[in-house]
Amino acid sequence: MIRVVCCYCWKQVKTLPSEFDEISRGVCDRCLPLMVRELGQPMQNYLDELKAPVLVVQDNARVISANAAARKLLSR
Ligand SMILES: [Zn+2]
């Protein structure tokens, strides 16, 4: 099982099925405004600066945003 924990408060955000016990980091709903404030820039600008493709998903796995690299990759 993969335990996704908030990188700010360490609250468990969710679990994902897996053969291995692992911990992945995410951000909980309560800490997301803190993360955005610390970035000092709009979230989309931050995501677009990342070279790796990044998808932002909700709990139900619905994609709500993608950075420039992901948009480029998915447009192929
Ligand atoms: Zn948190």
Side-chain angles (χ1 to χ4, degrees), residues 27-51:
V27 179
C28 74
D29 292 344
R30 192 171 182 174
C31 294
L32 183 60
L34 173 65
M35 187 184 92
V36 171
R37 193 166 54 240
E38 284 185 350
L39 290 173
Q41 62 180 331
M43 176 74 86
Q44 191 64 55
N45 292 359
Y46 170 72
L47 293 175
D48 286 343
E49 289 175 1
L50 301 174
K51 293 180 179 174

Side-chain angles (χ1 to χ4, degrees), residues 6 8-11 27-28 30-31:
C6 177
Y8 285 90
C9 69
W10 293 96
K11 172 185 159 191
V27 179
C28 74
R30 192 171 182 174
C31 294

Side-chain angles (χ1 to χ4, degrees), residues 2-73:
I2 299 173
R3 291 180 50 227
V4 180
V5 297
C6 177
C7 61
Y8 285 90
C9 69
W10 293 96
K11 172 185 159 191
Q12 183 168 298
V13 178
K14 64 180 171 182
T15 59
L16 302 168
S18 172
E19 293 179 35
F20 307 101
D21 288 335
E22 298 177 50
I23 294 179
S24 179
R25 294 189 181 170
V27 179
C28 74
D29 292 344
R30 192 171 182 174
C31 294
L32 183 60
L34 173 65
M35 187 184 92
V36 171
R37 193 166 54 240
E38 284 185 350
L39 290 173
Q41 62 180 331
M43 176 74 86
Q44 191 64 55
N45 292 359
Y46 170 72
L47 293 175
D48 286 343
E49 289 175 1
L50 301 174
K51 293 180 179 174
V54 175
L55 298 175
V56 179
V57 297
Q58 291 179 318
D59 286 349
N60 61 5
R62 180 177 176 215
V63 176
I64 58 173
S65 185
N67 72 347
R71 292 193 304 272
K72 183 177 177 182
L73 182 68

